[in-house]
Amino acid sequence: MPLLFFSTEETNFLFIILIIFAAIIILLFFLVLFLLFKKKRTKHFNNANNDNKMLLEKKIDKLEEISNLTREQTREIFLKKFEEELNMYILQKIEEANNKIDSNANAYAQEILMNSIQNISTSFISSMPSLVINVSPEEKAKIIGKRGINKKTIEQVAGVELPLLDENNKNKINISSLNPIRANLARNFIKHLITLNSIDPIIIEKTFIKEKEKFEKHLFDIGKKIIEGELKIFDLNHLVYPYVGRLQYRTYYGQSVLQHSLECAKICESIARDLNLDAELAKQVGFFHDIGKSVDFEFNHDHVFYGVKIANECELNKYVIDAIKTHHNETPSLYVYSSIVKVADSISAGRKGAREARSETIFKRASNIENICKEKFGLNEVYVMHAGRSVFIYLRNNLFINNDERNIKKLIYDIKNELNKNEDTKNYLINISVYKIDSISLKTK
C-alpha cells in the first residue's frame, strides 16, 4: 500500500490534513444552504412588501376618490396635522420648563432675601443727640445777654433760632433749625459758651470759629470710622469722609440715614455674594446710594442730583454713580448692582420700625398743596400723590380763557412760588405736572 512508503509521523500529518479538508467542505456546504435560504426568504418578503404597497396604493386611491383630494393634498394635511401636534407638544414642554424655572427662581430669590435680612445687623448704632440743652437760670441769662444781644449774635453766627421765651421750659434752651448740621454744631457751640466765665459778641464769634473747626474734624472722624472701621474699605478718596460723617445727623422719616446706608451696604453685600457677584463692590454701591442726603437739606432736597455731584467730586466709581441716579427709578439702571441697591433700599426702609409713618404730617402737607391750588388759582382737578411730592393738575378748556402754553407755564411758576412760601411745603422738592384736556360732549337724543 502507498502508506507503507510514509513514516508514522508523516501518516499522522496527512490524516490531520484530510480531516481539515473535510471540515472545510462541510462548512462550504452549509454556507451555500444558508445563502439559498436567505435569498428565498428575501424574495418572499419583497413579494409581501410589494403586495402591501399595492394594497396601500389601492386604499390611497380609494381615499382620494372618497375625499376628492389628491395625494399631495392629503400628504400636506397629514404633515400639517403632525406639525400642529408637535408644536403643541413643544409648547407644553416649554411651559412645564418655565414653571419649573419660575418655581426654582422664586425659591432661590426668597432664600437670598432671607439671608440678606438676617445679615442686616451692624455693629454701629446711630443715635441722634438732643437739641434741647438743660441750663440753670444764670446760664440761660448769660446766653441771652443784655437786651438779648448774645442770643442775637449766636443766632446770626450759627444760623439757628433759639426760642427762649417759652414759659413752660424756663430751664431749657431749644435749638431750632431745618439744617441738622447747623443745629448740632450750635448745640456743641452753646454748651461750650455756657462753660465760659463771661461772653460777649466778640467772644461768641471767636468761639464759633473754633467749634466749627472742631465739628468739621468730628465729621471727618465719623466718616473714617464708618468707612474703614465698619465697612473695611481703605481705597477711597478722603474727601468723602466728611460727607459720610454728616449722615450721622441726617434723618429721613425718623430713620437715621447713616444707619440706613449701613444696612443697605450689608444687604447688597449678602445678595451679591449669593449671586456670585463682587460682594465688596456691591457693599460700596449700597452704602453710597444716599450720600446726597448729606447736603440736600441745604439746597432743594434733591439728594439724587447732589449725590451724583459728591460722587464725581470724591471720585467714586461708575457703579455708585449709576445707583445714585437710578435707585428711585428716575432713569433705567445700567448695571446689576443698581438693581440690587433698589432691593436693599426697599428692605431697609420697609423694615418694621425703621421709619416713622408720619401720616398726619403727610396728610397735612398734601392738604395744603391741594388748598393752595384750588383756593388761590381756582383749579378743580388737583391730585396730590407720592406723599405730597407730586402734583397732577388737569385743565379743561372751560377753565381758562387763554389756555395756551405761556399761561400754563406762568401758572406753574405761580404755584411754585406759593408752595415755597408755605411752611409745610417750602422744604420739599415737589414735581408739578399740568395736563390740558379738551372735553367734548355729545347728546344721544
Side-chain angles (χ1 to χ4, degrees), residues 61-181:
D61 292 339
K62 190 68 176 177
L63 286 172
E64 290 180 1
E65 183 181 348
I66 294 172
S67 62
N68 293 324
L69 295 173
T70 65
R71 186 169 301 186
E72 287 298 321
Q73 290 173 331
T74 305
R75 181 172 177 271
E76 289 179 4
I77 291 173
F78 280 123
L79 287 176
K80 186 176 181 180
K81 181 66 176 176
F82 175 75
E83 184 179 0
E84 290 176 354
E85 292 179 356
L86 181 61
N87 287 336
M88 288 295 296
Y89 176 78
I90 292 172
L91 290 173
Q92 181 181 354
K93 291 299 180 184
I94 290 174
E95 185 177 0
E96 291 175 0
N98 286 336
N99 291 337
K100 187 175 182 180
I101 291 171
D102 290 342
S103 177
N104 293 338
N106 288 335
Y108 185 51
Q110 290 173 5
E111 183 181 353
I112 290 175
L113 291 179
M114 288 303 298
N115 290 337
S116 303
I117 293 170
Q118 289 171 3
N119 295 329
I120 199 173
S121 61
T122 63
S123 60
F124 180 82
I125 304 298
S126 177
S127 60
M128 293 299 296
S130 173
L131 296 178
V132 178
I133 304 173
N134 294 318
V135 294
S136 65
E138 294 79 13
E139 290 171 337
K140 191 168 186 177
K142 185 198 300 185
I143 294 299
I144 296 174
K146 292 181 180 181
R147 294 183 296 278
I149 186 65
N150 290 344
K151 173 180 175 292
K152 291 179 182 178
T153 306
I154 292 171
E155 289 178 331
Q156 288 175 357
V157 298
V160 298
E161 294 180 1
L162 303 178
L164 302 174
L165 301 178
D166 188 353
E167 293 296 328
N168 297 323
N169 296 301
K170 292 182 178 180
N171 297 327
K172 293 182 179 180
I173 296 176
N174 296 305
I175 302 171
S176 177
S177 175
L178 294 173
N179 187 319
I181 302 300

Side-chain angles (χ1 to χ4, degrees), residues 189 193 196 198-208:
F189 168 50
L193 289 176
L196 301 178
S198 63
I199 59 174
D200 58 39
I202 296 176
I203 293 176
I204 289 172
E205 292 178 1
K206 290 182 179 179
T207 304
F208 178 76

